[in-house]
Amino acid sequence: MRVWLVFKILLHPLRWAQDRIDAWVMSRVKRQPGPITVSRNRVYILPTRFGYFFALMLLVMLLGAMNYSNSMAFLLTFLLAGIALVCMHHTHANLVNVQMRAGSCEPVFAGETAHFELRVDNPSVTPRYSLVASWPKREQQAVPGDVEARGSGLFLLALPTAQRGWLQGGVFSLSTEYPLGLFHAWTWAELDMRCLVFPKPATHGGTPPPAAGHGGLTSSEASGQDEFAGLRPYRRGDTPRSIHWKSLPKLQQPMVKQFAETLEQDLWLDWSALSGLDVEARLSQLTRWVLDAEALQRNYGLRLPGTVIAPGRGDGHRHACLKALALYAPPSAADAASPADPASHS
Amino acid sequence: MKEYLPLASLWRLLAVMLLAIAPHFVRLPLWESALIAGVLAWRALAVYKQWRLPPNWLKLSITLLAFAGVLLSYNGRLSGQNAGTALLCVMATLKLLEFKDRRDVMVVVFLMYFMLMTHFLFSQELWTVAYLFICVLATTAVLIECQHRGALAPRHTLRKGAAMLLQALPLMILLFILFPRIPGPLWGLPSDAGAARSGLSDRMAPGDISSLIESDAIAFRVTFRDAVPPPAARYWRGPVFDSFDGRGWEEGFVTLAPGYGPEIEPLAQPVRYEITLEPHRTRWLMALDMPVPATIPEDTFFGREGTLLARRNVIERQRYELTSYTDYRLVPQLAAPARYLRLPDTYNPRTLALARELRARHDDDSALIQQVLRMFREQAYYYTLQPPRLGRNSVDEFLFETRRGFCEHYASAFAVLMRAAGIPSRVVTGYQGGQRNDIGGYYVVRQSDAHAWTEVWLAGRGWVRVDPTAAVAPQRIEQSLEAALSALGEGLPGHLSARTRLRYMVEARWDWANAQWNALVLAYGPELQQEFLSRFGLDDLRRMILALTIALTSVLAVIGLMLLRRAAPARIEDAALREWHRLTRRLGRAGFPQGPSEGPRDYADRVSRERPQWQAQLDAIARLYLGTRYQTSAADTAKLRRAVRRLQL
């Protein structure tokens, strides 16, 4: 075990050092609301492996210059060494003093990817280039971006979702290797970011909701045979398909066909209608019904144990229903589960 | 195929790579220059038209072919200055064919940095400093751009690169002066290290010296410590030839050990001077006729003929102090005169006949010599840079037919005549004269000052210098080559004919700058560093490193502070807003930060609700702030500032 550790340190000194620092820092990062300023004592900096390689190259050049007693070669080597040393300060200054705050996060369905918005403000007069935001252990999906002077940048951190409910954005890192890629400066932070994850909708063709009166889902497909009720003058915005052409030469103005709106009854999406399934499956099916009903522009209401939402339609109503489904907690765990709705999230 | 770099960035990288390799094109073999140019052009086109990169087998075969090419071009070696540089250039270019991710790009850029060093193995003149800075700036700008996803406009990268370069300059100077220099070489030099062979050769045939006149490269620079000897005494001794094969002259065998030098008797005060000799890849060290044996530098020897020789070929610029007698008696007793009388008897019959006739007429050696010189002076002999070609009996044809020649023709013919007449003689080549640089007060001797003369041995006087050129074209000795050729109406070589006064001023200054550069920077090695730093008391290794560390750390600290100041939050221009921020910071520290979407009025009200004792003050401040900010009455800014400062929490 010890031998393996020594081997690991020798082969990947940078990785090992970085991991040690990260473990220490992450155990101390506290979740904070509001803007976090990346101050000097929160920034860590280490050479990258290109930095070590560059140092090795400089050493070879130095030995060559000594061997050939070549003054210009010394000048070149020392100039590059000076640039590398100065680069450390530039990389550090590229990250320091930016402010991070949480943006909004669009709700997604379970199984999709949630995108957390991270807003980075640059209050200084120098633009910041190549800042990279990423989750720990997910450096392949790191998000690079620039923030101009006195401006603000947007970074979208993607996180795959598995379960419904609130998904907390955890600790993330903001790092940079600009300008030369020889040094890596980074900081860890945790903002109060969370994403609402709706249950994954069941596949199409599942159990249809109970037909409540004339307005069941099956009968709404017969809307093409609604009764012809008369003509009215064409108004701007009517589709050309609804124009009655036959009357045009006679009346000299376009007329639109009118159909009697069959008054459909409200759909009630009921928890108790799905007795044969377990909790998650019921929630999935209810989600699917909500989406379908919204697509068909029907009024629908939701009935869950402990929650009743009156029928309605539209984005707000859909969101309220999906949210109730996402945050549904079975009554046995009701005391422990439900998180309070934060004022800032809707 | 998805490129890692965008089009514009890749083109910039290729352009900078071309800039970094460009000076090598004159040195590399033709096939390699063509290959490098071809690969660069193909790569630029490939990214534009989105062609695929070549498959692995093709890349591998090109690499192997390149290896083989370098081996063949450089006689089976891959190491050493020339072969190594060629290999590095071709490998760096071929790496361009393999550009998949950021690591490949970084490797190419690092190779470009490394390649810059190879230029300095060939040339370290003053202009290379400008080239160094331009290339480092360009390469750094490319590297900065590669760290950025997407192209970054050159003005940003160049500005950043220039800032880093300027900040690195003081570090570079500190390291250059204080970094301890270890005398090299560490592992030995390859046989082709240093500058190319130039200047005098170890064989002299008619036409050799006149072809050397074409070059105005500097052979060496001399600074005389006391009085400057007249031009007629400024003969600089190089290789001496004592063996004639009928057509050309060659050196005899030399022994590189002390004690084989000739015997010298001084006749007047010596002259002190310092020579900075440019590398020429031979063993001869130039010295004024004749150097004082006690003053020759360490590790140098006298050859049998009086030439100063170094132990190893001069491949680097060297500086040495010498003292010479300009008035002397050389080898009063000649032990083995046979060597200096030997002539091949199947060549030049008419010359031999003439010599016998002269010997018959003049018993006295000096009179014979004067007769020959009179012959050169009074008869129709011409001094020219472009004499006609000579055949097998070169001396015969020169003396009796063409009668046109340069210094080597006259010297060779004279020496043959002397030997045929029984007077020991030898041909000496070297340099004669030198031009003064008024700005630096030193004399510059160029390859175009190369000269050949003779020495004859006379009983009682030793080896005496006889310069037949002085008989034919005395201005050559008294003034310079230009003066002689112009006076004779002869054509000048290109670099001499263009020498106007203005050009002389510019050249003199440039040469002086180069001489300073050589002396102060290029010669800065262990000895010079020791000498310079001991003036500050830093001659100890430990103290040197300590001084270096302290200096570097302080400069870096200053730079770091400067950068942090620029990264600090910008000063808010609106005075009222500044005061408001001051207020919110104070209240924030007291536990009441302003919410992100909270207006000033609501904020003041909220805090007042929590702390009624502050209500009056906060109310006044909020009113002043809103009035100032949104109704722009400047007088209230002062009131606002006072109110905020006087806030009692």
Side-chain angles (χ1 to χ4, degrees):
Chain A
M1 180 60 180
R2 292 253 177 85
V3 172
W4 173 242
L5 187 64
V6 169
F7 195 59
K8 203 166 73 145
I9 296 176
L10 282 176
L11 264 194
H12 303 282
L14 170 69
R15 192 77 243 154
W16 179 82
Q18 201 162 336
D19 287 344
R20 289 263 72 72
I21 295 180
D22 290 347
W24 184 84
V25 173
M26 287 215 277
S27 62
R28 282 162 177 72
V29 170
K30 290 193 289 285
R31 185 184 307 169
Q32 280 176 274
I36 301 180
T37 304
V38 180
S39 59
R40 263 181 295 170
N41 53 4
R42 291 179 79 124
V43 175
Y44 311 98
I45 185 161
L46 276 183
T48 59
R49 61 195 160 116
F50 296 116
Y52 287 120
F53 186 52
F54 194 75
L56 183 66
M57 182 185 86
L58 283 184
L59 186 64
V60 169
M61 286 168 74
L62 187 65
L63 289 176
M66 278 200 243
N67 190 50
Y68 285 84
S69 299
N70 194 308
S71 282
M72 288 296 297
F74 275 117
L75 275 181
L76 173 67
T77 311
F78 293 142
L79 181 63
L80 291 180
I83 287 181
L85 288 173
V86 164
C87 174
M88 183 171 69
H89 289 274
H90 277 265
T91 307
H92 178 86
N94 196 38
L95 186 58
V96 107
N97 277 330
V98 295
Q99 290 165 348
M100 304 182 285
R101 56 192 162 87
S104 59
C105 184
E106 292 294 317
V108 292
F109 293 96
E112 293 178 353
T113 315
H115 294 276
F116 291 93
E117 276 184 13
L118 174 68
R119 293 205 177 266
V120 176
D121 300 317
N122 175 15
S124 65
V125 294
T126 48
R128 310 299 174 96
Y129 292 106
S130 291
L131 294 179
V132 175
S134 87
W135 303 110
K137 307 275 186 295
R138 277 174 194 274
E139 278 79 18
Q140 282 77 21
Q141 290 123 31
V143 183
D146 302 337
V147 186
E148 62 206 19
R150 295 185 215 243
S152 184
L154 178 64
F155 292 79
L156 288 173
L157 285 166
L159 199 58
T161 57
Q163 294 175 322
R164 62 179 179 95
W166 286 115
L167 177 66
Q168 284 289 355
V171 179
F172 64 91
S173 77
L174 189 66
S175 65
T176 182
E177 290 187 5
Y178 184 86
L180 295 185
L182 301 177
F183 288 93
H184 181 79
W186 77 100
T187 181
W188 291 109
E190 188 174 4
L191 284 171
D192 209 356
M193 300 192 288
R194 54 184 187 166
C195 178
L196 185 58
V197 182
F198 302 138
K200 184 169 166 141
T203 50
H204 282 276
T207 334
H214 175 56
L217 271 176
T218 46
S219 68
S220 71
E221 273 146 5
S223 55
Q225 295 153 20
D226 287 345
E227 294 161 19
F228 177 69
L231 295 174
R232 62 167 170 79
Y234 175 78
R235 280 199 291 264
R236 266 178 62 150
D238 289 336
T239 62
R241 275 198 327 171
S242 54
I243 295 180
H244 191 240
W245 297 104
K246 286 208 183 119
S247 62
L248 185 57
K250 261 188 279 177
L251 299 173
Q252 295 297 323
Q253 64 163 341
M255 303 294 273
V256 165
K257 295 179 265 195
Q258 258 188 321
F259 297 101
E261 291 188 12
T262 49
L263 266 179
E264 292 167 346
Q265 293 240 358
D266 300 335
L267 274 179
W268 275 104
L269 309 177
D270 208 330
W271 172 267
S272 39
L274 297 165
S275 44
L277 305 170
D278 68 341
V279 176
E280 295 303 323
R282 290 196 208 197
L283 290 172
S284 287
Q285 190 57 56
L286 285 167
T287 313
R288 165 57 52 201
W289 286 344
V290 166
L291 293 177
D292 288 345
E294 185 64 39
L296 291 168
Q297 303 195 324
R298 299 285 305 273
N299 282 359
Y300 56 94
L302 186 64
R303 206 175 272 135
L304 291 176
T307 318
V308 174
I309 300 184
R313 230 185 346 171
D315 279 340
H317 182 76
R318 172 175 170 273
H319 184 91
C321 292
L322 289 175
K323 182 170 175 182
L325 286 169
L327 298 178
Y328 173 74
S332 56
D335 340 21
S338 38
D341 276 11
S344 52
H345 253 290
S346 62
Chain B
M1 206 228 76
K2 180 97 173 48
E3 290 270 4
Y4 176 74
L5 284 178
L7 179 79
S9 305
L10 186 58
W11 275 4
R12 280 192 271 272
L13 184 133
L14 291 174
V16 172
M17 181 161 229
L18 187 65
L19 178 69
I21 299 188
H24 280 311
F25 280 138
V26 300
R27 297 175 200 121
L28 292 175
L30 204 53
W31 67 265
E32 188 170 342
S33 302
L35 176 66
I36 291 177
V39 169
L40 285 173
W42 183 88
R43 194 70 179 82
L45 211 51
V47 67
Y48 182 63
K49 295 209 188 266
Q50 300 196 315
W51 290 336
R52 267 205 319 254
L53 290 183
N56 280 343
W57 60 265
L58 185 59
K59 281 189 279 200
L60 193 60
S61 20
I62 296 183
T63 311
L64 289 174
L65 281 175
F67 253 89
V70 171
L71 263 176
L72 283 174
S73 304
Y74 290 102
N75 301 321
R77 33 177 330 161
L78 284 177
S79 64
Q81 186 170 309
N82 293 309
T85 305
L87 195 62
L88 181 63
C89 288
V90 83
M91 288 298 130
T93 318
L94 289 180
K95 183 82 181 116
L96 284 175
L97 294 178
E98 197 183 38
F99 237 28
K100 286 194 297 288
D101 57 14
R102 184 165 157 248
R103 192 185 47 175
D104 294 327
V105 176
M106 303 281 276
V107 166
V108 168
V109 175
F110 287 176
L111 280 175
M112 272 155 53
Y113 278 132
F114 197 79
M115 233 176 351
L116 289 179
M117 192 168 102
T118 57
H119 293 299
F120 306 127
L121 298 176
F122 295 97
S123 163
Q124 288 191 73
E125 294 172 36
L126 197 48
W127 65 269
T128 54
V129 180
Y131 180 72
L132 167 72
F133 285 129
I134 292 176
C135 280
V136 169
L137 176 62
T139 312
T140 309
V142 163
L143 185 57
I144 291 175
E145 190 170 359
C146 293
Q147 303 308 317
H148 187 259
R149 174 92 63 89
L152 199 53
R155 65 173 180 281
H156 294 127
T157 57
L158 282 174
R159 187 152 15 125
K160 188 80 167 174
M164 293 180 76
L165 197 79
L166 285 174
Q167 288 159 0
L169 271 182
L171 298 176
M172 174 187 89
I173 294 175
L174 281 171
L175 280 167
F176 188 79
I177 295 179
L178 289 171
F179 191 83
R181 298 296 179 98
I182 301 174
L186 299 174
W187 60 79
L189 295 171
S191 56
D192 63 345
R197 181 161 178 147
S198 66
L200 301 164
S201 138
D202 54 2
R203 182 183 157 81
M204 188 190 86
D208 283 350
I209 305 271
S210 38
S211 60
L212 196 51
I213 305 297
E214 298 297 324
S215 162
D216 75 338
I218 294 186
F220 56 95
R221 297 181 177 87
V222 191
T223 310
F224 289 101
R225 298 283 180 224
D226 314 308
V228 178
R234 290 209 290 265
Y235 279 86
W236 308 92
R237 198 181 196 88
V240 177
F241 302 123
D242 60 3
S243 138
F244 183 62
D245 63 5
R247 181 147 179 86
W249 290 82
E250 278 184 358
E251 256 188 320
F253 180 72
V254 284
T255 314
L256 279 181
Y260 281 85
E263 199 187 315
I264 307 176
E265 278 178 26
L267 293 178
Q269 284 299 97
V271 175
R272 287 189 312 146
Y273 54 98
E274 180 193 72
I275 290 190
T276 307
L277 180 64
E278 297 292 313
H280 51 73
R281 214 177 223 112
T282 59
R283 284 210 186 85
W284 307 305
L285 294 177
M286 296 300 137
L288 194 61
D289 260 350
M290 290 293 302
V292 177
T295 67
I296 63 176
E298 275 183 46
D299 240 17
T300 61
F301 314 99
F302 263 116
R304 188 186 50 230
E305 318 294 348
T307 312
L308 192 60
L309 298 164
R311 187 193 288 281
R312 274 182 267 272
N313 284 346
V314 178
I315 53 175
E316 286 183 338
R317 189 174 295 110
Q318 288 206 10
R319 196 149 64 141
Y320 47 93
E321 295 251 359
L322 274 181
T323 311
S324 285
Y325 299 117
T326 48
D327 212 353
Y328 52 86
R329 208 190 316 264
L330 187 62
V331 187
Q333 311 291 340
L334 189 56
R339 196 208 317 265
Y340 305 104
L341 293 169
R342 208 172 290 140
L343 277 178
D345 41 7
T346 56
Y347 287 82
N348 304 311
R350 282 188 285 172
T351 313
L352 302 180
L354 174 63
R356 278 194 291 275
E357 187 197 316
L358 285 169
R359 180 87 273 176
R361 251 193 291 143
H362 303 271
D363 214 11
D364 181 29
D365 287 346
S366 311
L368 202 153
I369 292 171
Q370 289 308 316
Q371 178 61 30
V372 176
L373 289 178
R374 203 177 308 133
M375 179 179 86
F376 282 143
R377 191 173 25 243
E378 291 168 4
Q379 293 187 22
Y381 281 97
Y382 300 101
Y383 185 68
T384 171
L385 260 184
Q386 278 112 25
R389 283 185 60 82
L390 299 170
R392 185 179 180 276
N393 295 318
S394 50
V395 183
D396 276 358
E397 289 172 35
F398 167 67
L399 280 177
F400 299 107
E401 289 168 32
T402 66
R403 295 168 182 243
R404 312 178 77 87
F406 203 58
C407 53
E408 69 260 32
H409 299 84
Y410 287 96
S412 171
F414 187 81
V416 169
L417 269 175
M418 291 299 112
R419 284 194 175 188
I423 305 177
S425 68
R426 59 192 183 187
V427 172
V428 183
T429 58
Y431 298 89
Q432 196 281 330
Q435 187 186 37
R436 186 182 154 84
N437 182 312
D438 293 320
I439 306 190
Y442 56 86
Y443 284 80
V444 175
V445 177
R446 297 174 190 269
Q447 300 297 347
S448 52
D449 292 315
H451 194 50
W453 63 95
T454 61
E455 283 181 340
V456 294
W457 192 85
L458 299 172
R461 292 170 63 187
W463 284 104
V464 174
R465 182 193 307 132
V466 180
D467 194 350
T469 311
V472 181
Q475 301 95 330
R476 167 67 184 91
I477 309 299
E478 296 297 327
Q479 293 166 43
S480 69
L481 182 61
E482 305 165 62
L485 291 175
S486 314
L488 295 170
E490 290 285 335
L492 291 170
H495 60 92
L496 288 178
S497 59
R499 210 166 263 173
T500 61
R501 176 105 192 116
L502 175 65
R503 187 164 154 198
Y504 164 72
M505 294 298 289
V506 169
E507 275 186 1
R509 281 190 168 71
W510 183 244
D511 191 73
W512 176 81
N514 263 305
Q516 293 298 101
W517 176 249
N518 294 344
L520 294 175
V521 178
L522 296 188
Y524 193 81
E527 300 92 18
L528 204 59
Q529 180 180 49
Q530 191 75 9
E531 188 192 344
F532 179 65
L533 290 183
S534 50
R535 275 192 241 167
F536 305 102
L538 290 173
D539 41 3
D540 186 20
L541 182 71
R542 227 167 6 118
R543 277 195 227 156
M544 236 189 264
I545 295 185
L546 185 66
L548 180 65
T549 316
I550 292 177
L552 282 182
T553 318
S554 22
V555 172
L556 278 174
V558 167
I559 293 176
L561 281 174
M562 214 171 66
L563 286 173
L564 277 179
R565 167 151 340 152
R566 272 201 294 196
R571 191 175 149 79
I572 303 173
E573 277 131 19
D574 190 315
L577 192 53
R578 263 209 306 277
E579 299 304 324
W580 182 254
H581 276 234
R582 185 163 300 152
L583 173 75
T584 52
R585 272 202 300 273
R586 274 191 76 184
L587 287 177
R589 280 198 291 271
F592 297 102
Q594 183 175 14
S597 49
E598 210 174 12
R601 172 62 63 194
D602 292 338
Y603 178 49
D605 289 344
R606 173 167 71 89
V607 177
S608 302
R609 269 199 302 276
E610 302 285 331
R611 295 274 185 277
Q613 65 270 33
W614 300 341
Q615 177 171 5
Q617 300 181 78
L618 288 181
D619 202 36
I621 292 176
R623 220 170 352 99
L624 276 172
Y625 170 63
L626 288 171
T628 312
R629 189 105 198 272
Y630 298 107
Q631 291 162 27
T632 60
S633 41
D636 287 344
T637 315
K639 264 202 234 168
L640 174 64
R641 193 177 308 136
R642 269 201 301 276
V644 172
R645 309 266 159 135
R646 288 212 215 101
L647 179 66
Q648 299 276 6
L649 287 183

